[in-house]
Amino acid sequence: MTSNLIALIISAFAFAYIQAAQAEVVQVPQISAAQTSPSGAKRFDMSERMLDLAIAASSTALDDPIREHVAVSWRDLKPTLKSLETPFETLPGPLLNAMRTQVRWRTSSASERSDPDLIKEYKAANGVLAANDVDVEKLMLERRKIIAQNNAIGRGPNLEKLGTTIRLPGYIVPLTIDGGVVTEFLFVPVAGSCVHTPSPSPNQIIHIDYPKGVEFKSIFDAFWIEGELLAEPKVSDVAFYDGAANVESTYKLNASLVEVFTY
């Protein structure tokens, strides 16, 4: 009975997560699972991969209190940004829709503004806003301030995850390697990240010192990591296919475990 209840809870959580992911406006391109690495391992884009709760539940490194704070995807490492509609949130429905039309008009191209339907909608929105004494320019200025604020914090850490123990799947970009054993590396969600341009956002890169070392064969082989997540901005020298470059990372992980990813 207990096992059935646990399975039901896990299934419900997984379904809710999938529904939320599908509702995202920005979709992350996925790498086909059919692709393989030089060593024969399957290649995945781990950006949106949900943590396998069955694996987490069986991990000796994760007790119940810790599992409550486990990051279930790389997306969890991105900070929460303020909604661009925040300045409009107190407006009643018709005025909110009119402000959305304002935003659509101001962010559209010249060719889009020649669309008769959009022109008609824009003029109607202006009429509604003027009739209700809505200060459009003030609200748009507040929106621009939020955009600037989001841009400033968008590459930084998710403060809610700092100091917690996480478990994430991803790929190793070696920084220090000796005899096929890596002791310092960057951890990224997509195979080959940082060895081609552009690099992922700094909050999608984790710097890891792992004195114990992990056997490394290919940048296309996936691993699990577990450990305490900290904020430590760092610039690392990474060898690209076309030369060397500096790569920014937002996070540091005190890794307690690095193991080969299992499907």
Side-chain angles (χ1 to χ4, degrees), residues 1-14 53-58 64 67:
M1 180 69 176
T2 302
S3 61
N4 290 338
L5 179 59
I6 293 175
L8 179 61
I9 293 173
I10 291 175
S11 298
F13 185 92
L53 296 185
I55 293 177
S58 66
D64 290 336
R67 280 204 301 275

Short mmCIF file of all heavy atoms in Angstrom, two decimals, residues 1-14 53-58 64 67:
data_model
loop_
_atom_site.label_atom_id
_atom_site.label_comp_id
_atom_site.label_asym_id
_atom_site.label_seq_id
_atom_site.Cartn_x
_atom_site.Cartn_y
_atom_site.Cartn_z
N MET A 1 0.84 -1.20 0.00
CA MET A 1 0.00 0.00 0.00
C MET A 1 0.87 1.25 0.00
O MET A 1 0.66 2.20 -0.76
CB MET A 1 -0.91 -0.03 1.23
CG MET A 1 -1.83 1.18 1.34
SD MET A 1 -3.08 1.14 0.03
CE MET A 1 -4.05 2.57 0.45
N THR A 2 1.88 1.24 0.88
CA THR A 2 2.79 2.39 0.97
C THR A 2 3.54 2.61 -0.33
O THR A 2 3.67 3.73 -0.80
CB THR A 2 3.80 2.19 2.11
OG1 THR A 2 3.09 2.01 3.33
CG2 THR A 2 4.72 3.41 2.23
N SER A 3 4.05 1.51 -0.92
CA SER A 3 4.79 1.63 -2.18
C SER A 3 3.90 2.17 -3.29
O SER A 3 4.34 2.96 -4.13
CB SER A 3 5.39 0.28 -2.58
OG SER A 3 4.36 -0.66 -2.78
N ASN A 4 2.61 1.75 -3.30
CA ASN A 4 1.69 2.24 -4.32
C ASN A 4 1.43 3.73 -4.15
O ASN A 4 1.33 4.48 -5.13
CB ASN A 4 0.36 1.48 -4.24
CG ASN A 4 0.49 0.04 -4.71
OD1 ASN A 4 1.42 -0.27 -5.45
ND2 ASN A 4 -0.41 -0.81 -4.27
N LEU A 5 1.33 4.17 -2.89
CA LEU A 5 1.10 5.59 -2.61
C LEU A 5 2.29 6.42 -3.06
O LEU A 5 2.14 7.49 -3.67
CB LEU A 5 0.85 5.79 -1.12
CG LEU A 5 0.62 7.24 -0.66
CD1 LEU A 5 -0.59 7.83 -1.38
CD2 LEU A 5 0.42 7.30 0.86
N ILE A 6 3.51 5.93 -2.77
CA ILE A 6 4.72 6.65 -3.19
C ILE A 6 4.77 6.76 -4.70
O ILE A 6 5.08 7.81 -5.26
CB ILE A 6 5.98 5.94 -2.66
CG1 ILE A 6 6.03 6.04 -1.12
CG2 ILE A 6 7.24 6.53 -3.27
CD1 ILE A 6 7.16 5.26 -0.50
N ALA A 7 4.47 5.64 -5.38
CA ALA A 7 4.48 5.65 -6.85
C ALA A 7 3.48 6.65 -7.40
O ALA A 7 3.74 7.35 -8.38
CB ALA A 7 4.18 4.25 -7.38
N LEU A 8 2.27 6.72 -6.75
CA LEU A 8 1.25 7.67 -7.19
C LEU A 8 1.72 9.10 -7.03
O LEU A 8 1.52 9.95 -7.91
CB LEU A 8 -0.03 7.43 -6.39
CG LEU A 8 -1.21 8.37 -6.73
CD1 LEU A 8 -1.62 8.19 -8.19
CD2 LEU A 8 -2.40 8.06 -5.80
N ILE A 9 2.36 9.40 -5.90
CA ILE A 9 2.86 10.76 -5.64
C ILE A 9 3.91 11.14 -6.66
O ILE A 9 3.92 12.24 -7.21
CB ILE A 9 3.43 10.86 -4.21
CG1 ILE A 9 2.29 10.71 -3.19
CG2 ILE A 9 4.15 12.20 -4.01
CD1 ILE A 9 2.77 10.62 -1.75
N ILE A 10 4.84 10.20 -6.93
CA ILE A 10 5.90 10.47 -7.91
C ILE A 10 5.31 10.73 -9.29
O ILE A 10 5.71 11.65 -10.00
CB ILE A 10 6.89 9.29 -7.97
CG1 ILE A 10 7.70 9.24 -6.65
CG2 ILE A 10 7.83 9.41 -9.16
CD1 ILE A 10 8.61 8.04 -6.56
N SER A 11 4.31 9.92 -9.67
CA SER A 11 3.69 10.09 -10.99
C SER A 11 3.00 11.44 -11.09
O SER A 11 3.08 12.13 -12.11
CB SER A 11 2.68 8.97 -11.24
OG SER A 11 3.33 7.71 -11.25
N ALA A 12 2.30 11.84 -10.01
CA ALA A 12 1.61 13.13 -10.01
C ALA A 12 2.58 14.28 -10.13
O ALA A 12 2.37 15.24 -10.85
CB ALA A 12 0.77 13.27 -8.74
N PHE A 13 3.70 14.18 -9.39
CA PHE A 13 4.73 15.23 -9.44
C PHE A 13 5.32 15.34 -10.84
O PHE A 13 5.50 16.43 -11.38
CB PHE A 13 5.83 14.92 -8.42
CG PHE A 13 6.87 15.99 -8.30
CD1 PHE A 13 6.72 17.00 -7.37
CD2 PHE A 13 7.98 16.00 -9.14
CE1 PHE A 13 7.67 18.00 -7.27
CE2 PHE A 13 8.93 16.98 -9.04
CZ PHE A 13 8.77 17.99 -8.11
N ALA A 14 5.60 14.20 -11.44
CA ALA A 14 6.18 14.19 -12.78
C ALA A 14 5.22 14.80 -13.79
O ALA A 14 5.62 15.59 -14.65
CB ALA A 14 6.54 12.76 -13.19
N LEU A 53 13.09 10.81 -9.47
CA LEU A 53 12.85 10.77 -8.03
C LEU A 53 13.16 9.41 -7.44
O LEU A 53 13.50 9.28 -6.28
CB LEU A 53 11.40 11.16 -7.73
CG LEU A 53 11.02 12.60 -8.11
CD1 LEU A 53 9.61 12.88 -7.65
CD2 LEU A 53 11.99 13.59 -7.51
N ALA A 54 13.02 8.37 -8.27
CA ALA A 54 13.34 7.04 -7.77
C ALA A 54 14.82 6.93 -7.44
O ALA A 54 15.22 6.34 -6.45
CB ALA A 54 12.94 5.99 -8.81
N ILE A 55 15.67 7.53 -8.30
CA ILE A 55 17.11 7.52 -8.05
C ILE A 55 17.42 8.35 -6.82
O ILE A 55 18.20 7.97 -5.96
CB ILE A 55 17.87 8.06 -9.28
CG1 ILE A 55 17.72 7.09 -10.46
CG2 ILE A 55 19.35 8.27 -8.96
CD1 ILE A 55 18.37 7.58 -11.74
N ALA A 56 16.78 9.54 -6.75
CA ALA A 56 17.04 10.41 -5.60
C ALA A 56 16.64 9.73 -4.30
O ALA A 56 17.33 9.82 -3.29
CB ALA A 56 16.27 11.71 -5.75
N ALA A 57 15.52 9.02 -4.33
CA ALA A 57 15.04 8.37 -3.11
C ALA A 57 15.96 7.25 -2.66
O ALA A 57 16.04 6.93 -1.47
CB ALA A 57 13.63 7.83 -3.34
N SER A 58 16.69 6.65 -3.61
CA SER A 58 17.55 5.53 -3.26
C SER A 58 18.98 5.98 -2.94
O SER A 58 19.81 5.17 -2.56
CB SER A 58 17.59 4.52 -4.41
OG SER A 58 18.21 5.11 -5.55
N ASP A 64 15.76 12.65 3.70
CA ASP A 64 14.48 13.30 3.41
C ASP A 64 14.54 14.82 3.44
O ASP A 64 14.02 15.48 2.53
CB ASP A 64 13.41 12.80 4.38
CG ASP A 64 13.03 11.36 4.09
OD1 ASP A 64 13.22 10.93 2.94
OD2 ASP A 64 12.55 10.67 5.01
N ARG A 67 16.23 16.11 0.25
CA ARG A 67 15.49 15.91 -1.00
C ARG A 67 14.47 17.01 -1.24
O ARG A 67 14.08 17.28 -2.37
CB ARG A 67 14.80 14.54 -0.99
CG ARG A 67 15.74 13.40 -1.34
CD ARG A 67 14.96 12.22 -1.88
NE ARG A 67 13.98 11.72 -0.94
CZ ARG A 67 14.24 10.84 0.02
NH1 ARG A 67 15.47 10.39 0.19
NH2 ARG A 67 13.30 10.42 0.83
#
